[in-house]
Amino acid sequence: MKSNGSGFLGRLSHRFGRDIGIDLGTANTLVHVGGRGVMLREPSVIAINKDTGEVMAVGEEAKRMLGRTPGHIVATRPLRDGVIADFEQTERMLAYFIGKVSGRFLLRKTVVVGIPSGVTEVERRAVLQAAKKAGATQAFVIEEPMAAAFGAGLPVDEPSGSMIVDIGGGTTEVAVISLGGIVHSRSIRVAGDELDEAITSYVRRAYNLFIGEKTAETAKIQIGSAYQLEQELEMTIKGRDLVSGLPRSAVLTSEEVRMAIQEPLSAIVEAVKLTLEATPPELAADAMDYGIVLAGGGALLRGIDKLIANETKMPVLIAKDPLSCVAIGTGMVVEAMHENPLIRKMLEKSSRP
């Protein structure tokens, strides 16, 4: 992949610690601080005391509480399908994360938040409002595929087509980018969460066993695959027997997980195909030369690059740091916006109410 270091992001301002880029994800939130890189990477989970309204925990600590809290404490994920489902809790979670990285470095807080390309104007305004209420002096949004392309080092400012597929927790973003803009994009609310749900449903049908979302996610990470493995894997899962109601375990194989997640994977592949069909032929030819670049946590699923390559007949690459691409991209953009009017204009346009 070509670096865009010579393009309009080549000279970053490095306003040390003043600016923040945020990948506000359904599963995880990453925070990039100017001049310091990605300073925070925690689950997008918050635990609240229902009786007092007090925040009990945020991030990793709150995720450990999922499914394990007493009646008066509720651990929830305030974002669903890439957008805000609970505005108040998202605001409190953002304030906690921003405060955690602030310290003495943040003299001012210009914040850029990555959002799915398919959000509504209401959802866009909700993100901006949440960022401002969480302490941002200025708040902007950038579409996640654009941020991911910056973070992956694609030559997005050149007159050639670059294709990015960002598979997150709640949404999959597919976009073709040229000359600093998105030529065509498609956003579907099928991603990591749907893979977990598919595994949960399969285990319920096949084994009469109810497992939690954390167990399903662990199975996806440890033995999940999108393409046949040279050596298949297996793991022991534990849950509640749907007949007796008692705890029970079962052995789950990678072949079973692959079969379970076939439907959501097919939806992701179809989104890639439809985006390619709608792309001008010259840019599609460029994408063939550069290859399709995968970002997001879903890019780490074994064999997903082989699956997409096989279905599209195009080369597929996985970004160097797929989990951090959006956060790195928002950080690059927020640093550059103070010196580059093109960047600022792009952010103002995408953040306009």
Side-chain angles (χ1 to χ4, degrees):
M1 289 181 293
K2 291 180 64 178
S3 169
N4 53 8
S6 60
F8 58 50
L9 284 181
R11 295 173 58 196
L12 299 181
S13 58
H14 295 295
R15 298 165 68 87
F16 188 80
R18 297 182 182 184
D19 303 320
I20 295 177
I22 300 176
D23 175 8
L24 185 61
T26 303
N28 297 287
T29 294
L30 284 75
V31 180
H32 182 286
V33 179
R36 298 181 65 82
V38 177
M39 297 283 290
L40 180 142
R41 186 195 308 264
E42 294 206 31
S44 302
V45 183
I46 184 168
I48 303 293
N49 185 319
K50 285 197 304 183
D51 297 336
T52 64
E54 179 187 359
V55 176
M56 304 300 294
V58 181
E60 192 64 53
E61 185 181 352
K63 185 177 181 180
R64 289 197 295 268
M65 296 181 179
L66 283 171
R68 294 186 171 96
T69 58
H72 68 288
I73 298 177
V74 179
T76 61
R77 295 166 60 181
L79 291 105
R80 287 288 172 186
D81 298 328
V83 295
I84 295 176
D86 187 325
F87 177 81
E88 182 182 353
Q89 303 312 335
T90 299
E91 178 192 321
R92 297 172 83 175
M93 185 179 72
L94 263 181
Y96 173 84
F97 288 149
I98 290 174
K100 191 170 182 178
V101 301
S102 293
R104 59 188 176 83
F105 300 113
L106 284 161
L107 306 177
R108 54 177 289 188
K109 302 184 183 102
T110 301
V111 175
V112 173
V113 184
I115 60 171
S117 58
V119 300
T120 65
E121 288 304 314
V122 172
E123 292 165 341
R124 185 186 302 264
R125 285 196 297 270
V127 172
L128 289 168
Q129 189 177 349
K132 288 178 180 176
K133 285 196 172 185
T137 306
Q138 296 183 92
F140 301 92
V141 294
I142 183 173
E143 293 180 332
E144 284 178 358
M146 179 66 80
F150 284 138
L154 291 173
V156 296
D157 55 330
E158 296 183 7
S160 59
S162 299
M163 188 168 188
I164 188 88
V165 179
D166 179 23
I167 308 170
T171 60
T172 293
E173 309 282 325
V174 187
V176 175
I177 298 168
S178 180
L179 287 172
I182 294 177
V183 178
H184 186 78
S185 68
R186 183 172 293 269
S187 177
I188 62 170
R189 297 189 176 185
V190 178
D193 285 351
E194 281 65 32
L195 298 180
D196 296 343
E197 289 170 10
I199 294 170
T200 302
S201 297
Y202 174 83
V203 172
R204 186 186 297 117
R205 292 193 312 269
Y207 293 98
N208 275 334
L209 192 66
F210 179 73
I211 60 173
E213 61 180 64
K214 186 174 181 181
T215 300
E217 183 185 26
T218 301
K220 177 184 68 179
I221 294 170
Q222 291 190 5
I223 65 172
S225 70
Y227 208 78
Q228 185 173 350
L229 302 176
E230 290 184 9
Q231 184 174 353
E232 298 293 350
L233 306 169
E234 63 178 39
M235 70 173 287
T236 299
I237 53 171
K238 298 177 182 178
R240 187 178 73 242
D241 190 295
L242 292 174
V243 178
S244 68
L246 299 175
R248 182 166 62 85
S249 64
V251 175
L252 189 66
T253 68
S254 52
E255 295 102 319
E256 290 177 296
V257 173
R258 190 162 56 247
M259 181 171 59
I261 63 178
Q262 186 174 0
E263 187 175 336
L265 285 178
S266 295
I268 293 171
V269 170
E270 185 65 17
V272 175
K273 288 182 176 179
L274 290 173
T275 303
L276 283 170
E277 289 174 7
T279 300
E282 291 82 1
L283 295 180
D286 292 337
M288 174 70 81
D289 291 336
Y290 287 113
I292 300 171
V293 178
L294 304 184
L300 299 176
L301 181 68
R302 295 174 186 83
I304 194 165
D305 52 340
K306 293 180 181 178
L307 175 67
I308 295 176
N310 185 61
E311 293 290 331
T312 61
K313 311 303 179 188
M314 292 178 65
V316 177
L317 309 169
I318 298 175
K320 183 179 179 180
D321 186 359
L323 285 169
S324 304
C325 279
V326 173
I328 292 170
T330 57
M332 292 171 69
V333 168
V334 74
E335 288 185 56
M337 65 175 287
H338 301 288
E339 292 181 355
N340 195 299
L342 291 176
I343 292 288
R344 187 172 188 93
K345 185 177 179 180
M346 178 187 73
L347 289 174
E348 288 175 344
K349 182 179 179 181
S350 66
S351 307
R352 196 173 294 143

